[in-house]
Amino acid sequence: MSHKLILDHVDKVFGDGDLTVKVLDQVSLEVKAGEFVAVVGPSGSGKSTLLSIAGALLSPTRGRIIIDGKDISQLPEKKMNRIRLDKIGFVFQSSNLIPYLTVRDQLLLIPKLAGHDKRKAEQRAIALLEKLELTHRMDSYPQSLSGGERQRTAIARAWMNEPEIILADEPTASLDSERGRTIVKMLADEVKIREKAAVMVTHDERMLDLCDRVVMMEDGQLSEIPKKG
């Protein structure tokens, strides 16, 4: 099974001169196709920075990021943008929906930015909304959606371009435990069925049984946690 995402001895240092903070320290992580990895750890330990680097939002200070067999660590911004559009689906803590776009248009924005065929994008959007039980909300705006509906819309949007890698940052934070579990189960199923690689940062230990592996982030370093049961 191929590795979709590899972080190889990654350091991330913020600041310059005497005022530097090392947020990631020699972090290595490999995520295979069809694998769902949870990252846990205290606030401020570097989890969100790890996700931003894995998602080509930040460049590492040292080390390599390999996505789908290509080293992207030193690519220019324009190429990084393309990788984010083509290869990566993001699900953030607060669904990050655009207030003035309907649910359907939130989904169509991503393929539009990527320059994909409009008709195919519309068919895919409708199929995803059916799958996530959101068809009745297709023409609604974010402010009229429940927390669960907003987060399901964000997941549908993350899947629009068939990304190789799904990155989720606290996707259940604004949801009750039952809704949260439904959301994580949807992510886990998609990862398995479509052979994606996924990393989820979470504080919610009740979701960890849905993941294949759990890694702990502490003081900028990563260690594997043996899975219970």
Side-chain angles (χ1 to χ4, degrees):
M1 213 183 244
S2 66
H3 288 92
K4 297 276 188 184
L5 173 66
I6 299 173
L7 277 70
D8 178 25
H9 293 89
V10 167
D11 286 356
K12 183 62 181 175
V13 178
F14 288 108
D16 53 14
D18 297 334
L19 295 167
T20 60
V21 180
K22 194 173 209 179
V23 181
L24 297 182
D25 183 9
Q26 292 286 296
V27 167
S28 292
L29 176 67
E30 298 189 1
V31 188
K32 297 186 185 83
E35 193 173 33
F36 190 20
V37 177
V39 182
V40 298
S43 293
S45 58
K47 301 188 302 295
S48 291
T49 303
L50 172 81
L51 221 53
S52 296
I53 285 179
L57 290 165
L58 275 179
S59 293
T61 307
R62 271 179 295 282
R64 297 184 308 151
I65 313 296
I66 297 160
I67 288 179
D68 231 11
K70 293 189 182 71
D71 184 351
I72 66 150
S73 350
Q74 303 305 324
L75 287 181
E77 184 57 31
K78 200 172 173 185
K79 288 197 170 163
M80 291 279 254
N81 273 338
R82 194 75 236 173
I83 281 168
R84 287 196 292 270
L85 274 172
D86 292 344
K87 299 274 183 195
I88 299 163
F90 292 98
V91 183
F92 295 102
Q93 179 172 344
S94 56
S95 53
N96 274 37
L97 299 177
I98 298 162
Y100 53 83
L101 290 181
T102 63
V103 165
R104 183 173 159 278
D105 288 340
Q106 307 276 346
L107 269 61
L108 293 176
L109 182 63
I110 302 281
K112 188 178 176 182
L113 290 171
H116 292 175
D117 179 280
K118 193 179 171 193
R119 203 176 88 247
K120 275 191 185 148
E122 284 180 350
Q123 287 168 348
R124 178 152 176 77
I126 286 164
L128 280 170
L129 292 172
E130 276 174 11
K131 184 176 177 178
L132 295 177
E133 296 174 7
L134 284 166
T135 319
H136 65 298
R137 292 308 228 160
M138 206 181 316
D139 298 315
S140 302
Y141 290 91
Q143 71 267 23
S144 66
L145 304 178
S146 70
E149 287 168 340
R150 278 202 285 270
Q151 204 52 306
R152 294 205 313 270
T153 303
I155 286 179
R157 182 181 61 184
W159 287 340
M160 267 306 285
N161 278 357
E162 290 277 19
E164 296 298 322
I165 294 160
I166 304 273
L167 300 175
D169 193 0
E170 299 280 1
T172 64
S174 56
L175 306 174
D176 62 55
S177 61
E178 191 183 338
R179 282 240 165 82
R181 195 168 177 84
T182 307
I183 293 292
V184 176
K185 180 96 175 63
M186 283 172 181
L187 284 170
D189 289 347
E190 184 75 0
V191 166
K192 291 281 167 292
I193 293 162
R194 298 192 184 275
E195 293 275 284
K196 308 294 184 197
V199 179
M200 174 178 71
V201 163
T202 186
H203 276 112
D204 195 339
E205 296 199 351
R206 294 166 300 183
M207 305 299 162
L208 298 182
D209 62 305
L210 293 167
C211 301
D212 299 305
R213 281 162 56 211
V214 182
V215 293
M216 163 74 92
M217 190 94 199
E218 216 162 6
D219 299 327
Q221 294 186 316
L222 214 52
S223 55
E224 196 95 12
I225 296 178
K227 203 158 185 301
K228 294 185 181 95

